[in-house]
Amino acid sequence: MSTLGQRLAELNDSLTPAEQANYKLILGLSAGHLAQENSVGESRQTVTDTLHQLCPYEVDKVEGLQYRGRPDFMTDELLHKLQNEARSLESDAIPYDEHYLGYGGSVADQVAVSNELTEMVTAIVPKSAPTGIASYLFYRDPGQGIIPHVDTDIFSLNILLMLEHQTVEGDPEPSALTLHYPDGTTEAVDLEAGEIAVFLAGTQAHSRTPIKSGEKVSILTFGFMPEGAPIENYRR
Ligand SMILES: [Fe+2]
């Protein structure tokens, strides 16, 4: 007998593409809400199972980090170039509640479509392809961060490069990318500058814990999508 998660996943097959997008949004909002409440009941497990079944990527384990580390191509020289580009774009970055958004950096745009990044990501998540979109995110106002959520298509495969993290001296718990699991546990991923984290943000609930006064985080994210997917779904 199939589980409720399997039946909910099967329902997806009978929907039109527009309905599927809505269905995914509802499931993602539910998963984010249940993670915020840190519910550990059957509902959260079922929503998580359904999202896992609908995951468009073929990986051994959908949950958790797919990769964390500093790849060889992220040399000190390249990291410095990206850090400098981030600083040059920061003053014109667009303010949002959760962070500031900067884009249009030529170095970041080159990395976004580079063979090095594509080879690295496709070795971790097969049949994925770059969207060519690179976004600088700056968390610098106290309280900025993102509550637990699951992303829609645009960030469904998240490639996140830490550029700079200025912490408050002696702070035992600096802001961190945090993964939220359906059993109620969380995993803080406190990245060093130059480190990359890869995870399936369209499936795995995640947050950034709030920035404190005097703290600052600058990251660069690269968009990837399932190979052959309609690019319109992966642009802002
Ligand atoms: Fe996200």
Side-chain angles (χ1 to χ4, degrees):
M1 197 177 124
S2 55
T3 63
L4 179 56
Q6 282 164 341
R7 284 157 67 199
L8 288 168
E10 281 161 20
L11 171 63
N12 189 65
D13 296 337
S14 68
L15 303 177
T16 65
E19 287 169 340
Q20 285 177 346
N22 271 319
Y23 187 47
K24 172 73 204 330
L25 180 65
I26 293 165
L27 289 167
L29 288 170
S30 305
H33 188 78
L34 291 162
Q36 283 158 38
E37 288 182 341
N38 206 18
S39 152
V40 288
E42 201 180 334
S43 307
R44 187 169 176 195
Q45 194 60 59
T46 298
V47 169
T48 305
D49 287 348
T50 310
L51 283 170
H52 283 187
Q53 306 228 12
L54 296 181
C55 176
Y57 299 105
E58 286 168 32
V59 293
D60 290 343
K61 190 163 172 264
V62 174
E63 200 169 65
L65 282 182
Q66 301 298 322
Y67 170 84
R68 175 192 180 165
R70 182 164 174 174
D72 290 342
F73 77 86
M74 190 48 62
T75 58
D76 285 348
E77 190 191 352
L78 178 57
L79 179 62
H80 290 153
K81 274 191 195 167
L82 291 166
Q83 287 168 334
N84 287 336
E85 184 166 80
R87 286 185 205 113
S88 74
L89 291 171
E90 197 183 338
S91 55
D92 290 330
I94 303 162
Y96 287 88
D97 288 345
E98 306 92 353
H99 55 242
Y100 293 78
L101 170 70
Y103 58 90
S106 59
V107 184
D109 287 350
Q110 279 166 32
V111 175
V113 293
S114 67
N115 290 337
E116 288 85 353
L117 182 68
T118 304
E119 277 167 19
M120 178 205 146
V121 176
T122 54
I124 299 162
V125 183
K127 294 185 191 157
S128 60
T131 63
I133 296 169
S135 312
Y136 285 103
L137 302 181
F138 306 99
Y139 300 88
R140 61 183 192 220
D141 298 343
Q144 281 193 324
I146 305 181
I147 57 175
H149 67 283
V150 169
D151 282 287
T152 51
D153 281 351
I154 183 166
F155 290 122
S156 65
L157 170 51
N158 211 321
I159 319 299
L160 190 158
L161 165 67
M162 175 60 74
L163 293 173
E164 207 164 16
H165 189 174
Q166 292 172 19
T167 53
V168 180
E169 214 186 309
D171 181 359
E173 243 177 294
S175 169
L177 163 70
T178 302
L179 305 183
H180 299 255
Y181 297 110
D183 66 359
T185 58
T186 58
E187 179 182 0
V189 185
D190 190 7
L191 298 168
E192 307 261 325
E195 269 193 305
I196 291 181
V198 177
F199 62 101
L200 303 181
T203 311
Q204 171 64 56
H206 57 284
S207 64
R208 169 155 291 280
T209 52
I211 293 289
K212 299 178 189 79
S213 176
E215 187 175 20
K216 187 182 156 190
V217 171
S218 304
I219 63 176
L220 177 59
T221 69
F222 300 104
F224 272 71
M225 62 184 189
E227 206 175 58
I231 182 86
E232 323 69 89
N233 294 5
Y234 294 85
R235 291 187 187 276
R236 275 174 199 271

